[in-house]
Amino acid sequence: MILHLHPDIAPAQLDDMARTLRAAVLQSAGTTLLVTPSALKTVPAAFASYVAAQYPMDSDIQLASRSYLPQTRAVELAPGLWVGGDHRHTAMIAGPCSVESRTQIEASAAFVHGLGIRLLRGGCYKPRTSPYTFQGLGREGLELLAEMRDRYGLAIVTEVRDATHVEDVIAYADIVQIGAKAMYDHGILRRCGEIRKPVLLKRGFGSTLQEFVQAAEFILSGGNEQVLLCERGIRTFETKTRFTLDLCGVAYLKEYTNLPVVLDPSHAMGYRYGVADLARACVAMGVDGLLIETHPDPAVAQSDAAQQLDFPAFEALYRSLAPITQAVGYQLT
Ligand code: PEP
Ligand code: MN
């Protein structure tokens, strides 16, 4: 249950109420909120006088629920680039899987900037399946991304893999990405709840929608309201494609949650050949963002080589999207 409290509640009363009800306390738009377990359906009489408004909830999808906030939350991804709210923008996030070298990220930044794209992605701490493959450039990569931000005015999307570098990623990124394998890392989720930057939370490939949105609740209940949900494919019995892009799940997220939704067909497909068609299917759903991996020379990419688009293929795809976003009442940004 979400409770909006009267502003005159004393700190001691607030502490007592939060402890008794086992509630998270946060501030939202100048109001103090308590979020109790959803099993609580009525406010105990002893606390009733502190409550200005109450929202009983069906499940622990609470702050992210559309029954609490009926509109998609507005999030500013780069200066003046908003998604959610009344904006109906589909924001493009593009760049390589990993930052590999100055030459590679410089070529990528110049390319996406040349197309008018504002959001550059690239991982510096890669959650690889094998310890013997490229693990990312780490801090050096973050510094290269910061240079690209300064040179091209791009906002940087980069991922945090684990607790060892969470502070560095938070310091350098404009949008902090939490990867699929880190979706259950509660240290990362809670730390991202304390910051005031947008967080792109990717769905774990073995996670239900309930688990995915509850992971977002850890960030929201920490007080960070800028959370984007990213569907990037789930593991099914199918092995011909890398994962299965759960577009039914996207419909669910749009219907029942108030968080902007970003789609990542690159990781879902795992192969170049399907990415453009899938990307068009994604934007046809009316979504807040699209994430596509592109690399100056995918054949030599050090991670996710099979799925990254070269620049001509990316550009052709990108130019095909605007009419589709328009047809569903969105604008590609
Ligand atoms: C990525 O974005 O490069 C990545 C590692 O994605 P995911 O966490 O979805 O596998
Ligand atoms: Mn990747």
Side-chain angles (χ1 to χ4, degrees), residues 191-204:
R191 181 71 187 99
C192 286
E194 294 166 354
I195 64 173
R196 296 294 177 267
K197 286 184 175 183
V199 177
L200 180 72
L201 177 65
K202 290 188 136 196
R203 180 180 182 184

Side-chain angles (χ1 to χ4, degrees), residues 97 121 126 267 293 304 307:
C97 179
R121 63 146 287 143
K126 298 304 297 181
H267 290 86
E293 285 188 344
D304 287 347
Q307 72 198 28

Side-chain angles (χ1 to χ4, degrees), residues 7 55 79 119 159 165 177 191 254 301 313 316-317:
Y55 304 84
L119 308 170
E159 71 192 283
H165 52 264
Q177 175 175 319
R191 181 71 187 99
K254 289 183 56 175
L317 153 64

Side-chain angles (χ1 to χ4, degrees), residues 82-122:
W82 288 83
V83 294
D86 292 327
H87 298 285
R88 297 180 77 84
H89 286 157
T90 302
M92 187 78 214
I93 303 170
C97 179
S98 300
V99 178
E100 298 171 2
S101 67
R102 174 182 297 277
T103 329
Q104 175 247 20
I105 198 65
E106 153 75 19
S108 305
F111 170 65
V112 304
H113 174 72
L115 290 177
I117 294 169
R118 309 265 317 271
L119 308 170
L120 175 70
R121 63 146 287 143

Side-chain angles (χ1 to χ4, degrees), residues 3-14:
L3 304 172
H4 288 203
L5 303 184
H6 287 300
D8 54 5
I9 186 166
Q13 292 164 331
L14 177 61

